Amino acid sequence: MNITFEERQLMSLYNTGTRTGLIAALEEMRGYLAADETELRELTDSAIAKLRRMSDAEYDALDLFPDFEKEDMDAE
């Protein structure tokens, strides 16, 4: 499954330790988004869709730790 850097970062921030828990956390967060936060809404929807399509074993194989070093390099 092709997960983008942005999706992985979002998943890392809301990771509960289980695939279903992460889906629930992202769905809850999505409910708090303002109408003008379309980019974050689309990113969240994409991440949720990919999580729903993957198995628990595929989820367990993901490395869901925020990559702040990459983010810092992008800011330079």
Side-chain angles (χ1 to χ4, degrees), residues 29-55:
M29 176 274 290
R30 189 184 186 286
Y32 294 106
L33 295 177
D36 64 343
E37 294 180 288
T38 56
E39 189 174 330
L40 183 53
R41 184 180 313 278
E42 290 171 3
L43 178 65
T44 303
D45 289 346
S46 176
I48 290 170
K50 289 178 182 180
L51 285 164
R52 285 187 175 142
R53 286 193 306 266
M54 72 175 59
S55 68

Side-chain angles (χ1 to χ4, degrees), residues 8-37:
R8 187 175 301 274
Q9 290 294 91
L10 182 66
M11 290 178 189
S12 296
L13 292 172
Y14 288 89
N15 189 15
T16 63
T18 67
R19 184 179 63 84
T20 55
L22 177 53
I23 291 170
L26 289 173
E27 287 175 336
E28 180 180 353
M29 176 274 290
R30 189 184 186 286
Y32 294 106
L33 295 177
D36 64 343
E37 294 180 288

